[in-house]
């Protein structure tokens, strides 16, 4: 006998399933190949993005001087006889090949156990994985058009924060949709959200890199200031990212255990 | 107007874009219902639980709080406040939504009970609880499991039994768990969601599986006490079951 599917009585299963199905149908129609491409594309970018913060932390550690391999990418390249551009890119973005890692450990006579720990970087890694995956997801959904707006760390946190107060946001959103005007309460809500994130500097740690950190904090500071239009920014984020995000999360469901 | 009058496309259009006036009207009509608020919570959790490592666990979705609300009939408190209260005071929830596969009747199940009505007699009396993937071995987590089993995560098999109540068409639930909790008693809340005379109902029964008295002689399974009777509809037709391990009550002061 087939097991009964119990969740009919609860709204979560009753509604989210059909909504996901509707979103998938809008995006892919009946073309399973298109959906498979989407899934493999976002999964690859998720994997690539996930490791970048750790790669950055390793590069920062290597170039801290403790390894005896210099303190700049140029010094590092001179010592190991490699292309300095690879070291520059690695330090800036976090790309770290196994070859570079093993070469550095061997040259510095260090043990892999001395490498930076993943635990403190977990949030950053998940964020990095998702931002890369969702960006790719949007690009794939838009066809050949490249997404003009990047989903940066600040916007990612704003979207997560918005979903934590989703019911509240939704009420403001409906008012906006109905009148095409942002209410003062909506502006207050959006500015409050930015201020909350600004007050949580652990979300944007030093390890993020000076440039990304400054961009995120400056943007939040701007949105939290009175007289700005933070509600418009939230609406634009939702309009741009909610749909690809929904489909990307769905595509990454099989990796949920790994993400946690 | 209720949530069922909205199509998935209506909801999608409202959440990610600009809906038509007609759709907006429909949404406005249900906006403040507990059911819709619950749906919004669930939708938001879908985003958070996957992309935020600090978010609550997949199984511990918003339904826990909302079902408590339905049980208490506490509509005045509103779903949001109830949800927050439930989450804040009881730590991270672990709620497992289960499938139920009827099992052959166990011998001795009806011993001592009066002859049940024909409707009850025709029903299964025991179910193997399965996770959403259809597996018997369920992974239980959470602080209550830590107390009962001494580990943060325990794989267990759970069966649900239903015992007829004398002179009534009600059934009393009992669970059987393998392996038994050896570190402390395990209390779980079983939530039955079902339709009774076209009315959606949620009933909760709290059952406790005691620690075996002599640990060395424990059996492979332990059974809980019997819960209060539930209508037969709770075990048949379109019914659903979730299970939530509960923390033991704090020791009485003094």
């Amino acid at each position: 006998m087939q097991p009964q599917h119990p969740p009919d009585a609860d709204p979560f299963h009753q509604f989210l399933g059909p909504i996901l199905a509707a979103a998938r149908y809008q995006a892919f129609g009946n073309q399973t190949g298109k959906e498979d491409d989407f899934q493999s594309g976002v999964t690859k970018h998720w994997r690539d993005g996930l490791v970048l913060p750790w790669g950055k932390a390793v590069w920062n550690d290597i170039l801290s001087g403790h390894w005896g391999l210099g303190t700049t990418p140029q010094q590092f390249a001179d010592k190991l006889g490699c292309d300095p551009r690879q070291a520059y890119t690695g330090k800036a973005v976090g790309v770290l090949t196994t070859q570079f890692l093993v070469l550095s450990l061997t040259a510095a006579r260090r043990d892999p156990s001395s490498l930076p720990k993943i635990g403190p970087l977990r949030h950053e890694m998940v964020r990095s994985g998702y931002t890369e995956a969702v960006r790719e997801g949007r690009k794939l959904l838009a066809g050949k058009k490249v997404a003009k707006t990047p989903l940066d760390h600040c916007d990612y946190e704003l979207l997560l924060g918005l979903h934590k107060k989703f019911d509240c946001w939704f009420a403001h959103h409906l008012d906006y949709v109905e009148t095409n005007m942002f209410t003062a309460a909506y502006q207050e809500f959006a500015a409050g959200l930015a201020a909350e994130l600004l007050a949580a500097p652990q979300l944007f740690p030093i390890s993020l890199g000076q440039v990304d950190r400054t961009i995120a904090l400056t943007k939040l500071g701007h949105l939290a200031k009175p007289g700005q239009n933070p509600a418009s920014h939230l609406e634009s984020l939702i309009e741009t990212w909610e749909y690809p995000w929904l489909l990307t999360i769905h595509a990454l469901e099989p990796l949920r255990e790994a993400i946690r | 107007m209720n949530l069922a009058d909205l199509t998935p496309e209506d909801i999608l259009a409202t959440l990610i874009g600009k809906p038509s006036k007609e759709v907006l009207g429909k949404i406005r009509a249900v906006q403040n219902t507990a059911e819709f608020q619950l749906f919004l919570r669930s939708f938001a959790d879908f985003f958070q639980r996957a992309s935020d490592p600090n978010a609550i666990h997949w199984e511990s979705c918003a339904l826990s709080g909302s079902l408590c609300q339905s049980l208490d009939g506490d509509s005045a408190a509103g779903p949001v406040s109830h949800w927050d209260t439930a989450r804040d005071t009881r730590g991270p929830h672990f709620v497992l939504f289960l499938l139920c596969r009827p099992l052959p009747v166990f011998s001795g199940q009806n011993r001592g009970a009066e002859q049940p009505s024909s409707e009850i007699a025709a029903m299964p009396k025991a179910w193997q609880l399965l996770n959403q993937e259809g597996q018997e071995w369920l992974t239980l987590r959470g602080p209550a499991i830590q107390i009962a089993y001494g580990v943060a995560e325990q794989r267990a098999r759970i069966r649900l039994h239903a015992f007829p109540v004398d002179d009534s068409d009600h059934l009393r639930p009992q669970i059987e768990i393998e392996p038994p909790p050896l570190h402390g008693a395990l209390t779980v809340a079983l939530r039955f969601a079902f339709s009774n005379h076209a009315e959606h109902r949620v009933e909760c029964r709290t059952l406790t599986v005691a620690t075996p008295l002599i640990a060395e002689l424990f059996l492979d399974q332990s059974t809980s006490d019997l819960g209060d009777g539930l209508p037969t509809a709770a075990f048949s037709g379109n019914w659903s079951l979730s299970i939530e391990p509960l923390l033991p009550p704090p020791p009485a002061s003094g």
Side-chain angles (χ1 to χ4, degrees), chain B:
Chain B
M1 176 74 67
N2 59 42
L3 203 50
D5 295 324
L6 292 166
T7 65
E9 287 77 13
D10 291 343
I11 296 180
L12 198 60
T14 313
L15 290 171
I16 64 174
K18 292 192 177 173
S20 65
K21 278 191 176 171
E22 187 197 351
V23 172
L24 196 62
K26 283 191 205 172
I27 296 274
R28 282 288 192 205
V30 297
Q31 185 189 354
N32 293 322
T33 62
E35 200 184 18
F36 192 71
Q37 291 291 326
L38 164 65
F39 163 71
L40 287 179
R41 279 274 166 182
S42 309
F43 185 81
D45 271 351
F46 178 69
F47 282 80
Q48 286 183 55
R49 68 190 168 206
S51 51
D52 180 359
N54 300 317
I56 49 171
H57 199 269
W58 164 264
E59 284 87 353
S60 57
C61 67
L63 293 168
S64 174
S66 68
L67 286 178
C68 290
Q69 186 208 6
S70 312
L71 292 170
D72 298 343
D74 184 16
S75 56
V80 177
S81 60
H82 196 99
W83 155 255
D84 288 339
T85 309
R87 183 190 286 184
D88 289 345
T89 56
R90 296 168 65 184
H93 281 284
F94 176 85
V95 182
L96 201 54
F97 291 91
L98 299 161
L99 307 173
C100 305
R101 185 178 66 202
L103 291 169
V105 173
F106 283 73
S107 60
Q109 174 144 339
N110 292 330
R111 193 181 299 153
E114 285 196 3
Q115 193 61 30
S117 70
S118 58
E119 185 194 0
I120 292 181
M123 282 178 59
K125 301 297 186 304
W127 294 263
Q128 182 72 54
L129 304 187
L130 310 170
N131 64 15
Q132 297 293 316
E133 283 81 42
Q135 293 156 347
E136 286 184 8
W137 286 94
L138 313 170
T139 305
L140 305 175
R141 299 187 191 89
I145 296 303
Q146 178 77 45
I147 292 168
Y149 286 96
V151 290
E153 194 173 293
Q154 175 69 41
R155 286 175 70 72
R157 277 203 299 200
I158 304 177
R159 282 178 173 178
L160 171 72
H161 298 267
F163 290 81
V165 181
D166 297 352
D167 300 329
S168 136
D169 60 349
H170 280 47
L171 293 164
R172 299 182 70 184
Q174 183 193 48
I175 57 161
E176 172 192 326
I177 190 160
E178 175 192 354
L182 293 183
H183 281 67
L186 175 65
T187 303
V188 294
L190 292 179
R191 292 197 177 87
F192 297 83
F194 56 98
S195 298
N196 198 11
H197 304 299
E199 176 199 8
H200 171 58
R201 283 180 63 186
V202 180
E203 292 273 351
C204 182
R205 294 293 178 269
T206 305
L207 303 177
T208 299
V209 183
T211 313
L213 287 175
I214 307 170
E216 292 76 16
L217 295 177
F218 72 87
L219 301 168
D220 287 344
Q221 307 89 15
S222 257
T223 49
S224 70
D225 51 346
L226 286 173
D228 290 342
L230 287 161
T232 50
F235 299 90
S236 58
N238 185 16
W239 64 295
S240 75
L241 180 65
S242 71
I243 187 166
E244 179 185 7
L246 299 176
L247 283 171
S253 58

Side-chain angles (χ1 to χ4, degrees), chain A residues 170-219:
Chain A
F170 188 74
H172 295 314
H173 172 69
L174 278 191
D175 290 341
Y176 164 67
V177 167
E178 205 163 37
T179 61
N180 213 16
M181 284 170 66
F182 297 112
T183 60
Y186 194 177
Q187 296 289 13
E188 201 179 318
F189 169 83
L193 190 59
E196 268 178 42
L197 294 178
L198 204 57
Q202 71 277 8
L203 291 176
F204 308 102
I206 304 286
S207 57
L208 194 61
Q210 190 62 34
V211 176
D212 287 348
R213 192 164 183 263
T214 309
I215 289 174
L217 294 177
T218 310
K219 198 164 168 181

Side-chain angles (χ1 to χ4, degrees), chain A residues 141-161:
Chain A
L141 289 173
K144 288 184 180 174
K145 280 189 286 177
V146 178
K148 286 178 188 165
T149 325
L151 177 64
D152 58 22
H153 304 287
C154 167
D155 288 341
Y156 175 91
E157 295 296 344
L158 277 171
L159 277 169
L160 269 193

